[in-house]
């Protein structure tokens, strides 16, 4: 006879233990941020209101914004920036190599050059170059060239020498810092492979140093673009000089200063974008994953609109 009872009943599954209670996170309120933001917005609004109520003829700015003289000044400013930076970069690389040389004569010459040009203002250097006719009355290069200093030292040449040679002193320190940032083992390994000193610099050291050199060089380019306004003092016509001339003839000198400032902002903004992508290019060897560009961020945010959470759109 088969016995029936509680022993034949299947065991009751254990009741699952209750999980921990969900934590309700309450974000901390940063009242200081709200206050500082309100103060900043209020100050900005007050400045905008003050300028709007000032005795400034804002209509004169769009009238001359694309004037032929202004556009010519923009072109001259960009040309002077490119040529001066070319002189500064080439001279800076040469001075950096001389500064790191084991030859005490070349190292001392480079040190003296950097010390002198970094220690004197650019405007003073421009006036010195423009008035060196008091020392060198004639330029005599034999059968190649001979002329008076006043005819030889044109405003363009004065601007190039004053800006380019001064920039070379700063670029020398930037290049020297970049070269010193490369580990000495890289140079020793290349020499063990039989590479010459020049080939080691060109193929091994300089490409790795560019990651350190590019960011401050980009800043120097932007600074050079703005520094070109100083050459108006030596009678070279660029953006600022043309804006001054138009302001004197049109009776709106202050308005033309704002116009020049707007053009400088446009040009520096374009250069800043170029600097960003150039830095990103040379950062490929040091970063495994590069941060997204502003365009990539915008594209990702646009594509994510309407996408359901936890799944594909």
């Amino acid at each position: 006879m088969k016995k029936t009872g509680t022993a034949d009943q299947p065991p009751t599954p254990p009741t699952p233990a209750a999980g921990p209670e969900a934590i309700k996170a309450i974000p901390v309120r940063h009242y200081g941020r709200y206050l500082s933001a309100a103060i900043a917005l209020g100050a900005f609004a007050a400045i905008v209101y003050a300028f709007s109520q000032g005795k400034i003829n804002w209509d004169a700015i769009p009238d001359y914004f694309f004037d032929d003289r202004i556009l010519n000044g923009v072109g001259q400013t960009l040309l002077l920036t490119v040529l001066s930076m070319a002189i500064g970069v080439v001279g800076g690389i040469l001075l950096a190599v001389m500064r790191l040389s084991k030859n005490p004569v070349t190292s001392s010459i480079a040190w003296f050059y950097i010390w002198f040009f970094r220690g004197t203002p650019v405007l003073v250097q421009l006036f010195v170059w423009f008035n060196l006719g008091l020392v060198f009355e004639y330029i005599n290069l034999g059968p190649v060239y001979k002329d008076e200093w006043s005819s030889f030292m044109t405003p363009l040449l004065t601007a190039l020498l004053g800006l380019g040679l001064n920039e070379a002193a700063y670029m020398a320190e930037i290049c020297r810092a970049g070269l010193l940032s490369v580990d000495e083992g890289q140079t020793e390994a290349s020499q063990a492979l039989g590479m010459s000193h020049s080939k080691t610099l060109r193929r091994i050291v300089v490409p790795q140093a560019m990651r350190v050199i590019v960011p401050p060089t980009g800043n120097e380019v932007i600074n050079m673009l703005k520094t070109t306004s100083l050459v108006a003092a030596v009678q070279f016509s660029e953006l600022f000089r043309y804006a001054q001339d138009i302001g004197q003839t049109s009776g709106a000198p202050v308005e033309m200063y704002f116009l020049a400032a707007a053009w400088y902002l446009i040009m520096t903004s374009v250069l800043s974008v170029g600097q960003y992508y150039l830095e990103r290019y040379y950062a490929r060897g040091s970063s495994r994953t590069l941060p997204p560009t502003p365009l990539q961020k915008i594209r990702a945010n646009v594509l994510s609109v309407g996408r359901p959470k936890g799944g594909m759109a």
Side-chain angles (χ1 to χ4, degrees), residues 114-244:
I114 296 170
W115 168 78
F116 177 80
F117 281 93
R118 288 202 309 171
T120 54
V122 181
L123 188 59
V124 174
Q125 296 176 28
L126 289 170
F127 281 121
V128 168
W129 282 110
F130 197 66
N131 294 281
L132 273 183
L134 299 174
V135 180
F136 305 99
E137 187 176 356
Y138 293 96
I139 295 295
N140 189 355
L141 301 179
V144 180
Y145 182 85
K146 182 178 180 180
D147 202 349
E148 295 182 356
W149 182 268
S150 58
S151 300
F152 168 75
M153 188 57 62
T154 61
L156 176 59
L157 184 58
T158 303
L160 290 177
L161 291 176
L163 297 178
L165 297 182
N166 178 78
E167 183 60 33
Y170 290 91
M171 285 303 305
E173 293 298 282
I174 293 174
C175 293
R176 186 171 69 92
L179 295 175
L180 291 176
S181 67
V182 181
D183 189 83
E184 293 182 358
Q186 300 287 328
T187 303
E188 295 173 355
S190 62
Q191 292 175 350
L193 295 174
M195 290 186 179
S196 62
H197 180 67
S198 60
K199 192 174 184 179
T200 299
L201 284 175
R202 187 174 66 255
R203 300 290 299 273
I204 304 298
V205 178
V206 173
Q208 297 183 61
M210 288 299 291
R211 182 176 58 88
V212 178
I213 294 174
V214 167
T217 302
N219 293 334
E220 289 297 313
V221 173
I222 294 175
N223 185 62
M224 176 64 71
L225 179 69
K226 298 180 295 182
T227 308
T228 55
S229 60
L230 295 177
V231 301
V234 292
Q235 302 176 7
F236 182 80
S237 297
E238 39 71 57
L239 175 58
F240 183 68
R241 179 66 180 269
Y242 280 118
Q244 281 184 318

